[in-house]
Amino acid sequence: MLHIDMDYFFAQIEEIRNPEYKNKIIAVCIFSGRTEDSGVISTVNYEGRNVGIKSGMPIVNAKKLAKSGIFLPADHKYYESISQTIDGLIRSNCTKVEKSSIDEWYALAEDEVETGKRIKLEILNSTNLTCTVGVAHSRLGAKMASDKAKPNGFLILGKEKERNLIDNSPVEKIIGIGPKTKDELNELGVKTVSDLRGLNQFILIEKFGKKTGAWLYNLGIGIYDSEIEERIEKGEFSRIGSLKENTREKGKILEKIVELEREAKEELKYSKKFYKTLTLIFITEDIKMHTKSRSFSKPRGEKETNLDEIKKLMSEFLDNERKEVRRVGVKFSGLVEMDGQTTLF
Ligand code: TTP
Ligand code: MG
Ligand code: MG
């Protein structure tokens, strides 16, 4: 399994397109627009990380750490277009690909080591950007390898090294173990993955449920997931906007979502497309992005109303999240042509 993750992605893109900023601190910001500097850091280059700036930090605090830093607004459309270029390069080199975020891919290839090297070079040649590649026997191992080798690295883990790296990792570093599970595991005396090994399978299942319990048990004894979920990126239309203030009030959030949905539908109308999936996007005060989706068996068009679905998805999200919401969005994906498709529906 290969894992490819771009280095300080948004900030590196800005470095490349503005060579005059070379060697300066560059932070990409998500300005909320409420006051001049309100908002948070999306990401920052290594010069900025060295002085303590991090993703998610309020812009005001970051500016205190870097008086002469360059603070740029995020240009998502541009970053997305570069992500698409990289996606194409990876797909043309691999047999199976899963894009797991804007700058991150899992992939299988005939010869992972050789392919990883080639992809790294092709990305550099066509975008001038560096990435880090991890190769291991499992998803988890490959991801941990690339995290460890950052930036501009390449790390191959044989079975034994993969096992050691995972075994010695604190449980909260494992994808899928959130703060709640971490606390519960700590209570059981489990700090690192290797501590899971002493635990009884039935106790884990009783405490965490069948799926998670069995997964944790396997993790402890060194059985890791190596599945790839093949996801082809399809066209989509989306709109994201800031709320006037951080809130959890349903009325205020709903009003904004409905407004954004109307705008996204305008695009559908002009491009004559139907969609199969509606996704609501919530960005909480800590700038984490959450999504809730609903897919329809019959594609929907610009005229159908989604108010009931929106209310339902929004409640599902708010019932499970305690943080306040900062930004919201609507996305239509799984697009199909309106013309000539009517009989198929
Ligand atoms: P990451 O891959 O997590 O981070 P990165 O590429 O900036 O740095 P690294 O070299 O450590 O991989 O995220 C990819 C992009 O997603 C990042 O460039 C900006 C965006 N992002 C946010 O907007 N907010 C966040 O909290 C994080 C973590 C990322
Ligand atoms: Mg990255
Ligand atoms: Mg990433």
Side-chain angles (χ1 to χ4, degrees):
M1 177 85 58
L2 278 157
H3 181 259
I4 302 145
D5 189 293
M6 300 304 297
D7 301 325
Y8 61 103
F9 190 45
F10 297 178
Q12 198 189 171
I13 293 177
E14 295 296 350
E15 246 176 43
I16 297 298
R17 81 164 154 180
N18 308 287
E20 68 275 20
Y21 297 152
K22 188 93 195 128
N23 302 323
K24 293 208 165 123
I25 291 176
I26 299 175
V28 174
C29 306
I30 306 201
F31 292 103
S32 70
R34 269 177 239 154
T35 66
E36 201 196 339
D37 273 346
S38 69
V40 285
I41 300 297
S42 164
T43 195
V44 59
N45 62 0
Y46 277 79
E47 283 82 350
R49 291 180 193 196
N50 289 340
V51 301
I53 304 178
K54 289 187 193 140
S55 294
M57 179 181 264
I59 298 166
V60 196
N61 299 9
K63 284 197 169 172
K64 283 184 198 143
L65 295 170
K67 300 242 155 39
S68 59
I70 315 280
F71 292 84
L72 301 168
D75 182 354
H76 276 282
K77 262 209 170 122
Y78 186 58
Y79 309 150
E80 191 55 59
S81 72
I82 294 189
S83 173
Q84 292 288 343
T85 304
I86 298 167
D87 188 70
L89 288 177
I90 295 174
R91 285 180 198 280
S92 67
N93 278 289
C94 297
T95 48
K96 263 191 160 189
V97 178
E98 177 185 334
K99 186 174 192 213
S100 65
S101 85
I102 190 164
D103 85 329
E104 203 164 326
W105 292 261
Y106 290 93
L108 294 175
E110 267 158 31
D111 178 336
E112 268 93 18
V113 174
E114 193 214 318
T115 308
K117 284 184 190 151
R118 191 166 60 238
I119 288 174
K120 206 165 142 56
L121 201 64
E122 286 186 11
I123 293 178
L124 185 66
N125 287 341
S126 68
T127 64
N128 280 320
L129 298 169
T130 64
C131 63
T132 299
V133 178
V135 181
H137 291 270
S138 68
R139 283 171 77 90
L140 182 58
K143 163 93 177 152
M144 290 187 83
S146 74
D147 278 352
K148 195 176 156 74
K150 265 182 174 302
N152 198 7
F154 193 100
L155 181 61
I156 305 157
L157 294 178
K159 275 227 159 115
E160 200 179 327
K161 287 216 171 111
E162 174 178 27
R163 176 89 189 254
N164 279 335
L165 185 65
I166 296 175
D167 262 0
N168 293 322
S169 167
V171 285
E172 64 272 24
K173 287 269 152 69
I174 303 293
I175 305 174
I177 299 188
K180 202 172 146 235
T181 310
K182 180 213 163 195
D183 288 346
E184 286 173 327
L185 285 170
N186 286 172
E187 274 167 34
L188 291 171
V190 175
K191 291 258 154 49
T192 66
V193 171
S194 60
D195 297 333
L196 281 167
R197 205 169 309 144
L199 294 182
N200 182 298
Q201 158 159 220
F202 300 104
I203 292 182
L204 283 169
I205 288 175
E206 195 181 284
K207 197 154 171 92
F208 299 100
K210 203 169 168 190
K211 207 172 148 215
T212 307
W215 173 70
L216 287 168
Y217 180 76
N218 282 337
L219 189 63
I221 59 170
I223 299 176
Y224 317 123
D225 175 26
S226 59
E227 288 295 303
I228 260 202
E229 230 181 276
E230 215 165 351
R231 258 180 264 169
I232 314 273
E233 287 279 291
K234 298 193 191 85
E236 60 186 43
F237 290 118
S238 62
R239 275 278 183 281
I240 294 190
S242 289
L243 294 161
K244 287 200 189 75
E245 57 195 2
N246 293 359
T247 183
R248 292 183 41 77
E249 243 179 78
K250 286 191 176 165
K252 286 186 183 158
I253 299 174
L254 182 65
E255 188 187 359
K256 187 73 191 175
I257 294 177
V258 168
E259 176 193 323
L260 295 165
E261 195 222 9
R262 207 179 306 124
E263 288 176 21
K265 274 188 170 161
E266 282 299 302
E267 285 196 50
L268 274 177
K269 189 163 132 192
Y270 288 118
S271 67
K272 298 201 168 60
K273 293 270 170 63
F274 279 88
Y275 57 92
K276 283 195 195 143
T277 304
L278 163 75
T279 302
L280 298 190
I281 300 162
F282 300 90
I283 296 156
T284 38
E285 54 192 318
D286 53 354
I287 114 158
K288 291 228 163 63
M289 189 189 273
H290 313 259
T291 56
K292 284 272 168 205
S293 300
R294 166 84 209 268
S295 288
F296 307 102
S297 48
K298 196 175 148 208
R300 293 192 168 199
E302 156 257 325
K303 293 207 175 66
E304 267 106 337
T305 162
N306 291 310
L307 195 59
D308 290 345
E309 284 82 5
I310 289 176
K311 283 185 182 160
K312 198 157 165 271
L313 292 171
M314 189 179 82
S315 297
E316 272 173 29
F317 172 74
L318 289 171
D319 294 347
N320 285 298
E321 174 62 53
R322 269 158 283 163
K323 299 243 159 51
E324 295 203 314
V325 183
R326 164 180 280 273
R327 283 156 70 75
V328 285
V330 175
K331 179 165 89 180
F332 294 123
S333 58
L335 301 182
V336 287
E337 298 291 331
M338 216 184 261
D339 293 332
Q341 289 270 326
T342 27
T343 49
L344 266 182
F345 307 155

